[in-house]
């Protein structure tokens, strides 16, 4: 049958996942860092996902598609989550009172929220407002021994690897800086050339946002030394 149904332009999708969260029917899933319409018959054609997409990657089209199967959607929603759901994308703030530190631990974690991967952090996360952002290459926490105290304490971390992640960080970071009230940005990168992609994405995102925010870039050597800041 010919009916209205969503269409996702993967070249514009930045992998934020907001459309998948907005789709109560389960028609959209994140596959290899991109939003995909996985079942025509799960899409009701009402377009709840359209207004949440920061990249205007979703449009409504008329094409040959299976009819919306309300009963199949109800059956899907009635199923218990597999393995109690994936914790990697469940949003939470971490409030530390000292009691959570195990006996014998001498260096407490300074992580204040979850998730931390750039791809998984929601544009709607409440901890972004008024945040001092730490945008870090994921290797830096392993190379620099005092990472938590020196860089993470008091900041909201966004972590990624520009060489391995199949997304354009510039688009996601531009949306965060444009839509949320960020106070400052600290970039911690490794000395390796591929980490330059993370710094370039942040600088471009800041320019795209039209905001004048304090920006500090710290480079960490493979042996753990601070090379520049």
């Amino acid at each position: 049958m010919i009916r209205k149904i969503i269409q996702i332009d993967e070249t514009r999708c930045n992998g934020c996942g907001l459309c998948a969260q907005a789709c109560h029917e389960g028609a959209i899933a994140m596959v290899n860092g991109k939003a995909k319409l996985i079942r025509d018959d799960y899409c009701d054609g009402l377009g709840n996902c359209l207004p949440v997409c920061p990249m205007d990657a979703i449009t409504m089209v008329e094409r040959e598609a299976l009819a919306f199967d309300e009963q199949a959607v109800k059956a899907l929603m009635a199923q218990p989550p597999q393995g109690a759901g994936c914790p990697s994308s469940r949003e939470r703030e971490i409030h530390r009172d000292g009691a959570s530190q195990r006996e014998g631990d001498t260096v407490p974690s300074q992580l204040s929220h979850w998730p931390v991967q750039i791809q998984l952090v929601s544009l709607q996360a409440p901890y972004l407002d008024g945040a001092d952002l730490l945008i870090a290459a994921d290797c830096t926490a392993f190379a620099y021994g005092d990472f938590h105290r020196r860089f993470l304490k008091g900041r909201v971390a966004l972590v990624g690897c520009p060489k391995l992640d199949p997304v354009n960080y510039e688009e996601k970071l531009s949306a965060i800086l444009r839509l949320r009230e960020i106070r400052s940005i600290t970039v911690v990168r490794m000395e390796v050339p591929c980490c330059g992609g993370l710094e370039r994405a942040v600088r471009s995102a800041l320019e795209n946002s039209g905001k004048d925010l304090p920006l500090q870039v710290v480079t960490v050597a493979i042996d753990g030394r601070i090379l520049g800041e």
Side-chain angles (χ1 to χ4, degrees), residues 1-5 37 40 61-67:
M1 64 179 295
I2 303 294
R3 70 179 184 95
K4 288 186 176 181
I5 194 167
L37 176 63
D40 283 5
V61 299
E62 288 193 6
R63 64 168 175 83
E64 183 72 31
L66 294 174

Side-chain angles (χ1 to χ4, degrees), residues 142-145 190-191 220-227:
F142 295 93
Y144 188 72
M190 296 298 297
E191 63 173 321
V220 179
I222 294 173
D223 62 9
R225 292 174 296 122
I226 299 296
L227 295 180

Side-chain angles (χ1 to χ4, degrees), residues 87-189:
S88 64
S89 59
R90 286 207 300 268
E91 188 177 292
R92 68 181 73 179
E93 293 187 63
I94 304 170
H95 302 284
R96 302 189 181 279
D97 56 8
S100 61
Q101 187 176 344
R102 297 184 308 170
E103 184 178 355
D105 287 349
T106 58
V107 183
S109 171
Q110 298 296 331
L111 188 65
S112 63
H113 66 97
W114 189 264
V116 296
Q117 287 289 331
I118 296 174
Q119 295 185 75
L120 297 178
V121 170
S122 168
L123 295 177
Q124 299 174 333
Y127 47 76
L128 288 174
D129 276 331
D132 294 301
L133 283 187
L134 170 66
I135 302 175
D138 49 15
C139 295
T140 56
F142 295 93
Y144 188 72
D146 201 17
F147 183 87
H148 276 241
R149 185 193 64 83
R150 175 78 179 274
F151 298 119
L152 186 54
K153 186 176 182 179
R155 295 187 175 103
V156 169
L158 303 180
V159 179
C161 176
K163 186 177 182 67
L164 299 180
D165 288 345
V167 295
N168 186 337
Y169 289 145
E170 180 183 332
E171 295 176 350
K172 179 71 172 284
L173 295 174
S174 295
I176 290 175
L177 297 180
R178 186 175 65 252
L179 299 174
R180 309 308 298 268
E181 293 299 322
I182 303 301
R183 296 194 306 182
S184 69
I185 307 170
T186 300
V187 177
V188 183
R189 53 162 292 185

